Amino acid sequence: MDLIQEINKLKKEKNAIILTHCYQNVEIDEVSDFVGDSLYLSQQASKTNADIILFAGVYFMAQSAKLLSPNKKVLLPNMNSGCIMADMIDVENLKIFKNQHPNIPVVCYINSTAEVKAHCDICCTSSNAVKVVRELGAKKILFVPDTYLGTYVQSKLPEVEVITFNGFCPTHLRIRIQDMELARKNHPNALILAHPECHQEVAKLADFVGSTKEIMEFAKKSDKKEFVIATEKGVVDRLNRDSKKENWNKTFILINENIVCPNMKKNNLENIYETLLTEQNEITIDPSVAQKATECIERMLKL
């Protein structure tokens, strides 16, 4: 409690806000101004008059916050909290991929670095990927970096050829068909909610497939009382906490206890306090890269 009080005191002194992704350790919510999906967090921060944004998330998320709030100081509690999937593609690999498939528009998942976004045509999130690709009106698109989200888009838009880069989220790929079958057996009255970063064969077995935010909203609004959640543990922690707090009388079960993103868990109250105190770990982006990456995001927002 002392640490929470000290962090809140620093926030007030420095006119700072804290953004927290749903996969973070749940105790960080106690000092957070906004909790949710990465793009939502960056958008909310851009609407505030804060001087400092501390992003409890991974590196590409803090970059997105900087892109949308270029005049604010953006801090990341742990500079080693990267995203394995985002790191699977860099500008050189992207150029090779584009050269192999010339003159085809590139749709870039928000889970990517600013440098990669700067060399793509339009951005998307897990919740709007299908809409973005549909609205583009192209017969073929390249999709980076997540092959599984790209494959999910292809399944919803058979009229579009989606050529995917071979990136993936290791955490979501730990969810196997056997986990889904076991969940059905052990929890026959539960709905299974899955993220589209899961393997396509896993997603096919779910009752609902959606982004982190969509999964949480679906679970809150549903008349059902039991849910198996096929995404990162932080979502289950928050749903169970809110269910108890708001008397939903609902139960949320993590599909497998090892569905934990190690990089997301690198942030904690201690390094949040230290980073806010020292204002170290500032996110900087080359201006030419920032301009092009921001344009990539803005094209998505206009759609």
Side-chain angles (χ1 to χ4, degrees):
M1 289 303 296
D2 289 342
L3 197 54
I4 290 171
Q5 290 172 359
E6 289 300 316
I7 291 170
N8 285 330
K9 181 181 176 182
L10 277 175
K11 282 168 58 182
K12 188 174 181 180
E13 291 174 358
K14 294 173 178 279
N15 190 28
I17 58 171
I18 295 178
L19 311 179
T20 299
H21 190 270
C22 293
Y23 294 171
Q24 293 289 296
N25 293 302
V26 72
E27 61 269 17
I28 296 176
D29 289 10
E30 297 297 322
V31 297
S32 302
D33 297 278
F34 300 99
V35 180
D37 275 348
S38 61
L39 181 62
Y40 160 81
L41 293 171
S42 295
Q43 288 175 309
Q44 294 305 308
S46 71
K47 298 173 185 177
T48 72
N49 64 355
D51 295 314
I52 296 174
I53 299 169
L54 186 144
F55 207 127
V58 294
Y59 186 77
F60 80 80
M61 296 179 183
Q63 279 192 320
S64 294
K66 183 65 177 178
L67 292 174
L68 297 187
S69 299
N71 297 322
K72 294 178 170 65
K73 180 180 283 189
V74 178
L75 308 175
L76 186 65
N78 188 323
M79 293 297 276
N80 292 320
S81 58
C83 170
I84 295 173
M85 178 171 64
D87 292 341
M88 288 180 181
I89 188 168
D90 57 20
V91 173
E92 289 306 311
N93 285 326
L94 175 58
K95 288 179 178 178
I96 292 170
F97 186 54
K98 290 169 70 173
N99 287 337
Q100 290 171 342
H101 309 280
N103 304 316
I104 301 175
V106 184
V107 179
C108 179
Y109 190 18
I110 195 78
N111 295 28
S112 56
T113 65
E115 291 76 15
V116 167
K117 289 182 179 75
H119 288 81
C120 295
D121 295 291
I122 192 167
C123 216
C124 75
T125 67
S126 52
S127 61
N128 70 21
V130 174
K131 181 178 180 181
V132 166
V133 173
R134 182 192 296 120
E135 292 296 321
L136 272 180
K139 293 182 178 180
K140 289 184 181 182
I141 64 122
L142 303 184
F143 194 94
V144 300
D146 184 15
T147 187
Y148 294 100
L149 180 57
T151 302
Y152 177 75
V153 171
Q154 175 78 84
S155 72
K156 297 298 181 181
L157 300 173
E159 69 277 13
V160 181
E161 183 180 352
V162 180
I163 304 168
T164 63
F165 187 82
N166 193 30
F168 58 90
C169 170
T171 300
H172 283 101
L173 282 199
R174 293 193 199 108
I175 302 170
R176 305 300 179 110
I177 292 174
Q178 298 94 306
D179 295 318
M180 303 291 278
E181 293 172 343
L182 192 61
R184 289 282 183 214
K185 180 180 177 181
N186 293 341
H187 308 282
N189 297 319
L191 293 181
I192 302 179
L193 316 182
H195 196 283
E197 288 179 17
C198 293
H199 194 286
Q200 187 181 16
E201 297 306 312
V202 167
K204 286 178 181 177
L205 297 176
D207 297 296
F208 176 80
V209 179
S211 68
T212 302
K213 181 181 179 182
E214 288 173 331
I215 285 173
M216 296 181 81
E217 288 181 348
F218 181 95
K220 290 175 185 178
K221 293 175 182 177
S222 174
D223 294 332
K224 291 283 188 176
K225 295 297 182 182
E226 189 176 15
F227 303 85
V228 175
I229 306 298
T231 189
E232 214 274 343
K233 180 178 181 291
V235 173
V236 178
D237 292 339
R238 284 167 176 80
L239 285 170
N240 278 321
R241 177 200 61 195
D242 293 347
S243 180
K244 185 176 180 180
K245 187 187 297 183
E246 305 294 334
N247 295 316
W248 295 343
N249 296 317
K250 294 181 178 182
T251 302
F252 301 94
I253 303 146
L254 185 62
I255 191 156
N256 187 318
E257 286 303 316
N258 71 349
I259 311 304
V260 178
C261 174
N263 284 349
M264 282 286 190
K265 305 307 186 190
K266 287 181 178 178
N267 299 318
N268 52 51
L269 291 173
E270 287 77 11
N271 59 25
I272 286 173
Y273 171 75
E274 186 66 25
T275 302
L276 203 52
L277 178 67
T278 62
E279 298 184 27
Q280 293 179 340
N281 299 346
E282 182 177 357
I283 300 297
T284 59
I285 305 172
D286 180 272
S288 62
V289 170
Q291 180 182 345
K292 293 177 181 177
T294 303
E295 289 171 357
C296 184
I297 295 174
E298 287 177 345
R299 290 187 196 105
M300 170 186 69
L301 298 178
K302 286 177 183 178
L303 280 184

